[in-house]
Structure formats: structure tokens, C-alpha cells
Amino acid sequence: MSSKTSIVLTGVGGHGVITAANILGKATVNADVNVYVSEVHGMAQRGGSVICTVRMGDVSSPLVASGTADAIISTEPIEALRYIRYASKNTKVITDVNPVIPFTVAVGGEEYPNLEEVFKEINSRAKLYKIDALKIAEDSGAIITKNIVMLGALAAVDVLPFKSDILFETILDNVPTKYGKINEKAFKGGIDAIKSI
Amino acid sequence: MDIIDEKPEKTILLLGNEAITRGALEAGIDVATAYPGTPSSEIADAFSAIAKYLKKKGEKPSFYFEYSINEKVALEVAAAASFSGLRALTCMKHVGLNVASDAFMTYLYVGCRGGHIIITADDPYCHSSQNEQDNRYFALFGSAPMLEPTTPQEAKEMARLGFEISEELHSPILLRTTTRLNHARGAVNLKKLKKSRGKGHFEKSPMLVTTPAVARARHPELLKMMERAEKISEKSPFNEIVAIGKTSKIGIVTSGVSFNYVKEAVEDLRVDAKILKLGMTNPLPRKMCGKLIKACEQIIIVEELEPFLENQFKAMAYDMESSVKIFGKSTGHFSRLYEYNPDIVTDALSKILKVKNPISKPIDYKIKLPSRPPTLCPGCPHRATYFAVKKVAPKETIYPTDIGCYTLGKAPPLEMADLLLCMGSNAGTACGLAVSTDQKIISFMGDSTFFHSGIPPIIDAVHHKRDVVITVLDNRTTAMTGHQPHPGTDFDGMGNPAKKILVEEVVKGCGVEHIEVTNPSDIKGTAEAFKRALDFKGPAVVVSKAPCILLENRAKRKAGKKIPTYTIDQEKCKQCNICIGKFGCPAFYYGENGTVHIDEQQCNGCGDCVQICPFDAISEKEEK
């Protein structure tokens, strides 16, 4: 068994993808497992496509080789497909089902693809888990917790080299105390969403 | 705040940039200066955040930190601290060193007293930059000792120990990073914070005044310093052989983040190799390198961008009359372009070593996906300015632009960026276009760029009576790099009150005779201001002033104020396409049958769209 775990986190600038990667990295340190995280900053953040990678265990590189991700979690469906090269048949791809239409569609005449086609293609290349993270986040009390819903979902697919409690505690350590309850709901909502698939 | 509150010996997760700041604090940093620029900004931002945090707790920060007006001034301020015996640090992005290079090149002749680390954050692949220049050549060019970290942990150690190397050599040193180090997070083991020196004392010396005679005397000293530096390089713990597998005649030479990819690739390919991991890359430890050349039949050089190590290894092999085969860029196995990654490095090594590559070639997705480039935020005041300009400017007008968020105005439908070289180039190229063409010229720069390097070309325009309109998009912050303060804000990088300098007063002082100050959220008024500026014969400056919407909304949230959202009355909407096709706010989208809607999640509540709709179909909805 390889003692390397590679997680790809993708989405749209503003969805909290970097925050999620940071929390996942901190949880890994708390679990006493070696970790290396790569992020996108600067110009890449203004509503653009965002990708972060988190590698755990016996790793030297923060970047993931093609076809070697254990999981891809995406806050937007087509962003999951955009980075599908990191997936193999065994990769668990978890995505929110709610599209965020890029301005290039309205302005540049580009086309947003049929979602069913997108899911079909992801499913043909990896194990797809679809969740309505936006709704779970809304029901939890704040749509900005969508990234926490995604982390909950990740914790439920059995790829992390540590217990989900550690991730949950790290989340609570990294959000203001008054938002603890909302984040708890979001995290558990993510776990339940995977369990109910 | 982990970065200063956690105890020594504790391991915490730090961004590469934060690790550098921590390393400097463990070395007792006295004076840190910067001009923000991706991917370097968080080094400075960490100093700024720590200073504010300590002040809030009622403690006095042990260091002085400033966001300087530009990289050259940042380097000069820190150099003076070093001359006074203090430990100094200056950080900037790679192209920032071009700006600071005038000071940098002669500073190396003079040498330093207190340790001084100059950080150049290079950006292979141009993630957020206008070029991907390899600043390791600055170390060769100016004779600067140079360190290149591989991980955040090593970045912290290099920042900490770099001051000692600098003081031993009496020379400032370069700490050269790349985006994948700056913006990588890793586990960092903390050491004790060191007390800073406080106030220094400037000792006068004729050798500090670089007249030609002094420069001639200093140049041989510089070369001697590099000889001493080479001895340090030979013994440096940052230069080491990492042997993988059994004894091997295969050598791999690498530095910086490339080492990470090499190590995993060698393990994945199951080959035996000696990896020479170079952390001090100028001057190279020639004895150590020579030993590797002697011990190997083939040497593979893995480095991003230019063949900096490769050419030096070839020269060393030539001097040794060695027949070792050197693989790298010149053999076509590695590219001089962009960033490397595990795929690229594993593939090249498998080809050179003739072993099977376990990484399967990625198959592209079959569905065509729409691109998702970065864009001006919904509610960005620059969009309103651009829209107003387009209403009054003749068709052939040229729009020189500059470095900042407003560069994103290049995208359709605004398409308000025609020419860009570097920080401040908008006004300089505007002057040149006025000399060379009969087209109208309206140039754009941000307020931070104005202070950085935008003022001299305005003076040039005034002195030579150029018929140009120079626009300062004044959003009261350095937005793109993370909202740092600048001379136009009334607070500084340590959170202290600061003298706020108004753009319009500066340009008045420069002799500009036609100055318009306008608020872009009044689109009609702004269009009229530009019309008057265009009609004026000679240089005119328009200061289009409105706060960055992200800062404005942050302040509103903090104050408990409501952020409105807007909605479209489908009865009134004639689907004329102005809001999407001309204004281009990304919060707008087409629904079914061409109906137009506003995405409430994206709308930042600026309300500019109310003014641009010819059918009064847009109105404020409810609080968000």
C-alpha cells in the first residue's frame, strides 16, 4: 500500500477553495502526518478557475501527477471535469451540482455544457459523487460554508489517512466561535450527503 | 496567531511566504520593507499582520516594517538599516528586482553591515506576471550570494541562517523563490524568536560613497567576497547529496522546487541515482560539483526556466576535461518554458534513463468547457470608468494600461487595454504614442502604480506638452495583491496613522493644467469629465475615484450595514444586451428565451447597472 494520499480541490475563486485546502493541511499536521499543500493566489483569484492540491504522507512534491489523485472535490461541476486528468478509475470525484456560469458564456459566446453529459464523462473515468452542497450550506445557515460541506463529504469517502474527528476539530479551531454551529451543520451535512448516496 | 504565538519546537502549517517571515523573526529582524507583488506579497503581509496583532495586544513589535513606494525605495530603506548595523529584509516579485536593480548592483559593491536578505519571488508560467524572467541571473550579474529553498521548512531555515551568511560575507544575499514555494504550505518546525537589535548607529566611511575611485577599489573586494562565499557554499548544509537506492553512476543536479519532483520521480521510476540538491546556488560549490562530475557517467540537470546550473556544469566539466554526458535543456529533454510538475520531470527522466514511465498520459475530456479566466469583480468601479470612457472616446482611441486589477479590462466586452509593458508604462507609452500617431490616447493606471512609477512619465507629458489623457483609477488600495496600503491611504503597513497623499494634488504639483476628479459611480458625470479631458489640448489627468468594492462591502458588513442586491423587471427589460454585451458585469446571465437575470450570489450591490439600463428595468431588491 502506498503511504501517499493526494487530494485535488477545485472550484471558482470566492468559493473558499484555498481556505478548505488550508484547513485540510492543518488537520493533517494535527494528525501528525506529513503534508504539502499547493495553492493559487493573486490574479487567479478574481472569479477564475481555482485549483489547490493537498498531498499527505510520504510525499516530496506538493503537485499531483496525472491519474494519481485519491479524491477530487469541486465546488462547481465543470471545474471537476476541467481537472479530471488527475483522476483514475479509483479516484473519488465529489462535486457540487450547482453550476456557476462563467462570464465567457454570456459575453464571449462560449457554451456551458449539458450537466448530465459532464457527469456522464466524469463517471466514465472515476467514481462520481454528486451532492447539492449549496443547498446543504444554505440550510446550515450560510452559503459561504459550501467549502466546509465539501470537506465533510471528503471525510465520508474514506481516503484521508486520519479520522474525520481531527478534520472536524481543525475546522472549529479555524472559524470564529460564533460560527461554530453553522460549520458543524455544514460539515455533518456533507458527511450525510455522501452516506445517503 | 500561530506564526508568533506557537511555542518553539512546535510544528505548524505555514505558507512558504509566512515561513520566510518566521525565519526572519527567529533571526531577530529589525527592518523589513517591501513593495507587494504576487507571489511575494504574503511575506510582507505577514509582517504587517503581526505588527497590527501585537499592537492590538498592547505589545510593541520588535521590528519596523513598511510597504515602500516601490521596490527600489524598499531596497534603499533596508540597505540603510543594514549600514546602521541592523538586520534587514526586502521582498519583491521577480520584476520588482528590475526596478530595484539600480540600487542592487552598486549595493553589492559597497557591501552591508547588518545581515540583509533580498527576496526575489520568481513566477515560472507567469501565473500573475508579465514575464517569467529567471532572476538567478541577477545573482551572477551582480555577484550576489544566493539561496534557493525547496520547502517552506527550508525557506524558514534559509531566512534564519541567511542573515549569518550575509554578516559573515558583509554582503546582501538573494533568497530566490518561485511561486510553488511561495504559495505552498508545509509543516514548519519552529525555533525560538530572537530579540532584535533595536536602534543602530551609522558609522561614516569614505567607502560608502561610490565615486568612480571607490567603485574601482570595491570591485576587486566584491570578487574576493565571492571567493569566500564559495567556501561557505562548499560547507553549506543547504548543498547536499541525496542518494537514492544503490551506488550509482547517474547524477541528477537540481535546486528549488524541482528537487521535490525529482525525488518522487526517481522513487517512482525505481532507479538508483545521486541527487545533488543545491540550496546555495551562487556561487556554486565547485569542488562538490567536481566530485559528482568525476563519480558519474551521466548527469541530468533539472531546473525550471534558464539553463543556469546546466551551463555552469558544462563549463566545469570542460575545465576538468571530463567526458561526462550532461542532459538537460540543451539535449532537448527539458524546456526553458513555464513551470515543471511531476508529469514533466518523470517523463523526461524516464526517457533519459530508458525506463518505463509509470504515470499514464492524461486523456483530455471530450466535452468542450467554457474558459473561466479571472475577471473584474461585480461592482468593480473600474468597469464603470471604462464604460463611461467608451461612451465619449473616438473609435481609434488607444488605451495603454498598467499592472493591476484593471488589466482585466482587456477582456470583452470592455476591451480597454491595448498596450502594457511594466509598472508605470501606461503614461510613458502614452507620451510615445502621442509623438508617433494622430490617434487619441487615454491611458490607465491604479493609484498604487501611480505612486510606484507613474509620476515621472506624467512630468514628461507636461514638460513636452503631450496631448494625452492619463487616468488614475483611484480605488484607495493595492487591490490585486491583497489590499495593501500605499501613500494614498491614511494608515501604513504597521497600522499606524500615516500622511495621506492625494493623487490630484501630486499631479497639480507636476504642472498638469487640466485635472478632473470624478466618481465613476456617476457614469454620466464621469463620461463628461473624460469628454472635457479629451477636448483639452495638452496633458490632462482624470482621477476616477471610488473605493474597491471588496473593501467597501467588507466595511459595510463590519458596520452591520446592508449590501443591496439588484433585480431585473422582466416586463420592462427589452433584452437590449447593454448590461451583458457592453457593460459586462459577471453577475448578469441569460436565462431561458434570452431573458436577462442578476445572480444575487455574485452581485456586490454597486447599483451601477441601474444607470446603464435604457429601459429602467433594474432596481434595488432587498438586503443580502
Side-chain angles (χ1 to χ4, degrees):
Chain A
M1 268 300 281
S2 149
S3 58
K4 296 175 185 178
T5 306
S6 303
I7 313 288
V8 174
L9 301 95
T10 80
V12 178
H15 278 184
V17 176
I18 293 178
T19 309
N22 188 8
I23 289 174
L24 193 54
K26 283 188 176 174
T28 316
V29 171
N30 291 343
D32 256 336
V33 175
N34 177 48
V35 66
Y36 210 169
V37 182
S38 174
E39 303 177 353
V40 203
H41 288 225
M43 201 185 247
Q45 279 178 291
R46 296 279 180 269
S49 170
V50 171
I51 176 169
C52 295
T53 54
V54 181
R55 299 197 71 223
M56 304 159 176
D58 190 17
V59 299
S60 310
S61 158
L63 297 181
V64 177
S66 293
T68 65
D70 294 281
I72 298 176
I73 64 173
S74 180
T75 62
E76 207 276 350
I78 65 165
E79 296 310 315
L81 182 56
R82 199 185 299 279
Y83 298 104
I84 201 70
R85 67 175 173 278
Y86 295 111
S88 70
K89 283 270 177 205
N90 299 321
T91 305
K92 289 160 178 172
V93 178
I94 310 166
T95 181
D96 182 22
V97 293
N98 297 287
V100 178
I101 314 284
F103 75 96
T104 51
V105 170
V107 173
E110 295 189 42
E111 224 172 285
Y112 195 92
N114 179 295
L115 271 187
E116 285 314 311
E117 300 277 316
V118 170
F119 293 139
K120 215 171 111 189
E121 175 147 4
I122 297 174
N123 215 11
S124 74
R125 302 172 57 150
K127 290 179 191 163
L128 174 65
Y129 299 78
K130 293 183 288 181
I131 63 170
D132 193 340
L134 184 64
K135 179 154 192 317
I136 298 167
E138 233 170 352
D139 292 347
S140 303
I143 52 171
I144 54 160
T145 59
K146 193 161 107 162
N147 56 348
I148 305 299
V149 177
M150 299 309 297
L151 286 180
L154 175 68
V157 294
D158 257 350
V159 293
L160 297 179
F162 50 84
K163 287 202 180 114
S164 62
D165 296 0
I166 297 179
L167 179 55
F168 177 59
E169 279 156 26
T170 310
I171 291 169
L172 291 187
D173 283 348
N174 284 279
V175 297
T177 325
K178 58 178 174 175
Y179 298 125
K181 270 270 170 290
I182 294 178
N183 281 284
E184 183 176 349
K185 274 191 195 163
F187 185 75
K188 300 224 158 117
I191 295 177
D192 292 343
I194 292 293
K195 284 186 177 159
S196 65
I197 289 175
Chain B
M1 191 178 231
D2 284 8
I3 190 169
I4 48 163
D5 286 341
E6 283 295 353
K7 294 201 167 61
E9 297 314 320
K10 173 110 183 169
T11 298
I12 61 170
L13 189 74
L14 287 181
L15 196 64
N17 279 341
E18 296 166 345
I20 290 170
T21 304
R22 172 72 198 197
L25 292 167
E26 289 179 1
I29 181 74
D30 294 289
V31 173
T33 61
Y35 183 78
T38 317
S40 76
S41 307
E42 297 82 4
I43 304 168
D45 294 349
F47 279 114
S48 177
I50 292 167
K52 288 180 199 163
Y53 171 76
L54 290 175
K55 276 182 51 189
K56 215 171 161 185
K57 285 210 311 185
E59 292 172 32
K60 197 172 170 283
S62 59
F63 56 85
Y64 169 79
F65 165 74
E66 71 171 41
Y67 290 110
S68 305
I69 194 166
N70 63 31
E71 293 87 351
K72 180 172 178 284
V73 173
L75 184 57
E76 289 157 354
V77 170
S82 166
F83 293 141
S84 308
L86 300 182
R87 286 193 161 175
L89 175 147
T90 311
C91 51
M92 58 194 77
K93 70 182 291 171
H94 60 334
V95 286
L97 193 51
N98 298 339
V99 178
S101 63
D102 203 1
F104 177 76
M105 295 299 286
T106 305
Y107 184 22
L108 287 158
Y109 272 48
V110 176
C112 70
R113 232 180 99 205
H116 188 173
I117 297 182
I118 300 163
I119 296 141
T120 165
D122 293 12
D123 190 18
Y125 190 70
C126 312
H127 288 279
S128 308
S129 305
Q130 63 270 40
N131 76 26
E132 55 175 359
Q133 67 185 49
D134 188 335
N135 272 11
R136 293 179 298 172
Y137 283 104
F138 263 115
L140 274 187
F141 191 25
S143 293
M146 172 168 63
L147 301 174
E148 285 186 75
T150 296
T151 59
Q153 169 70 35
E154 196 175 51
K156 193 214 72 174
E157 285 303 290
M158 283 182 175
R160 185 173 71 86
L161 297 170
F163 288 99
E164 288 173 22
I165 299 173
S166 171
E167 280 171 12
E168 189 178 336
L169 294 171
H170 291 288
S171 171
I173 67 165
L174 267 184
L175 180 63
R176 187 256 187 179
T177 62
T178 55
T179 307
R180 285 295 161 196
L181 182 283
N182 301 99
H183 291 166
R185 283 180 202 271
V188 174
N189 188 257
L190 305 180
K191 284 196 159 57
K192 260 172 73 172
L193 297 173
K194 200 173 159 187
K195 217 173 157 281
S196 57
R197 294 172 184 175
K199 281 281 173 205
H201 185 78
F202 181 81
E203 308 283 345
K204 294 187 185 196
S205 157
M207 282 295 153
L208 292 175
V209 185
T210 50
T211 56
V214 168
R216 280 192 293 272
R218 289 305 305 171
H219 197 179
E221 295 302 318
L222 175 62
L223 301 185
K224 276 186 215 156
M225 181 280 291
M226 284 302 275
E227 283 170 21
R228 297 202 309 279
E230 191 172 326
K231 285 185 185 140
I232 291 176
S233 189
E234 296 284 1
K235 286 187 194 151
S236 170
F238 299 128
N239 294 330
E240 58 171 330
I241 296 274
V242 180
I244 309 263
K246 287 177 271 186
T247 316
S248 170
K249 299 241 178 224
I250 300 165
I252 303 177
V253 179
T254 185
S255 68
V257 294
S258 296
F259 171 77
N260 299 323
Y261 313 136
V262 166
K263 182 153 181 282
E264 273 197 48
V266 168
E267 287 164 358
D268 289 347
L269 294 169
R270 297 170 190 282
V271 289
D272 303 321
K274 279 192 191 86
I275 307 174
L276 174 57
K277 173 182 174 294
L278 292 167
M280 185 159 178
T281 46
N282 200 45
L284 286 179
R286 274 186 293 183
K287 276 188 200 151
M288 195 177 190
C289 298
K291 261 191 206 162
L292 186 81
I293 291 170
K294 249 188 207 148
C296 292
E297 283 164 2
Q298 44 183 339
I299 287 182
I300 307 164
I301 318 275
V302 187
E303 56 185 325
E304 288 175 328
L305 301 177
E306 302 301 323
F308 175 86
L309 298 172
E310 188 172 326
N311 287 348
Q312 294 191 69
F313 264 79
K314 280 186 176 168
M316 283 186 273
Y318 176 86
D319 288 344
M320 291 166 67
E321 294 177 15
S322 163
S323 59
V324 69
K325 175 81 183 148
I326 295 178
F327 296 88
K329 297 175 202 288
S330 62
T331 53
H333 291 95
F334 285 98
S335 173
R336 283 170 61 187
L337 307 173
Y338 319 139
E339 264 196 322
Y340 289 175
N341 60 35
D343 287 30
I344 290 171
V345 172
T346 312
D347 183 55
L349 290 183
S350 78
K351 281 183 180 138
I352 296 167
L353 300 172
K354 298 187 174 68
V355 288
K356 193 178 172 309
N357 181 359
I359 300 173
S360 47
K361 257 218 146 50
I363 317 159
D364 247 336
Y365 41 83
K366 292 176 211 91
I367 300 171
K368 194 168 162 31
L369 299 184
S371 56
R372 199 189 293 277
T375 172
L376 289 176
C377 303
C380 175
H382 304 336
R383 179 177 290 106
T385 304
Y386 285 148
F387 187 82
V389 171
K390 284 185 92 159
K391 280 172 90 99
V392 294
K395 201 163 172 282
E396 285 287 281
T397 306
I398 313 168
Y399 303 111
T401 190
D402 224 292
I403 308 276
C405 293
Y406 39 91
T407 317
L408 297 171
K410 175 172 183 280
L414 295 167
E415 296 174 310
M416 291 295 283
D418 294 325
L419 184 58
L420 170 62
L421 295 175
C422 59
M423 289 288 286
S425 72
N426 79 94
T429 52
C431 290
L433 290 165
V435 172
S436 316
T437 73
D438 284 328
Q439 290 161 272
K440 282 284 181 189
I441 297 135
I442 304 178
S443 80
F444 298 97
M445 67 180 123
D447 39 351
S448 192
T449 305
F450 168 81
F451 291 112
H452 178 284
S453 48
I455 299 167
I458 291 178
I459 297 172
D460 194 81
V462 171
H463 182 65
H464 293 106
K465 290 199 177 66
R466 296 290 168 236
D467 191 20
V468 292
V469 177
I470 296 168
T471 312
V472 181
L473 298 160
D474 189 355
N475 63 358
R476 310 272 88 197
T477 187
T478 318
M480 181 58 100
T481 48
H483 296 114
Q484 292 83 1
H486 61 59
T489 56
D490 56 9
F491 58 95
D492 67 14
M494 296 186 87
N496 294 322
K499 170 83 181 163
K500 172 170 150 180
I501 298 159
L502 294 175
V503 173
E504 53 273 28
E505 286 178 3
V506 176
V507 294
K508 193 174 174 208
C510 293
V512 177
E513 285 168 20
H514 188 99
I515 303 166
E516 299 273 356
V517 179
T518 180
N519 182 345
S521 62
D522 170 10
I523 293 177
K524 195 165 163 251
T526 300
E528 283 162 5
F530 274 98
K531 181 81 178 58
R532 288 190 296 271
L534 278 168
D535 290 343
F536 180 78
K537 190 85 193 128
V541 169
V542 180
V543 183
S544 191
K545 200 185 286 204
C548 170
I549 190 80
L550 300 180
L551 286 188
E552 199 183 6
N553 282 358
R554 199 182 293 169
K556 274 187 186 166
R557 273 188 208 105
K558 219 173 165 183
K561 282 191 199 158
K562 312 275 159 34
I563 295 162
T565 55
Y566 288 79
T567 186
I568 299 174
D569 183 341
Q570 298 298 335
E571 302 269 298
K572 288 188 185 169
C573 176
K574 299 277 183 284
Q575 298 172 14
C576 71
N577 195 34
I578 285 180
C579 51
I580 291 181
K582 296 263 196 282
F583 192 58
C585 174
F588 284 79
Y589 67 97
Y590 288 117
E592 279 174 20
N593 305 323
T595 52
V596 181
H597 307 269
I598 295 172
D599 180 351
E600 278 179 44
Q601 271 192 65
Q602 291 204 52
C603 176
N604 275 324
C606 70
D608 290 347
C609 52
V610 175
Q611 296 172 57
I612 61 144
C613 178
F615 303 103
D616 283 333
I618 306 173
S619 60
E620 191 177 326
K621 198 188 170 189
E622 62 200 65
E623 63 248 28
K624 196 165 157 182

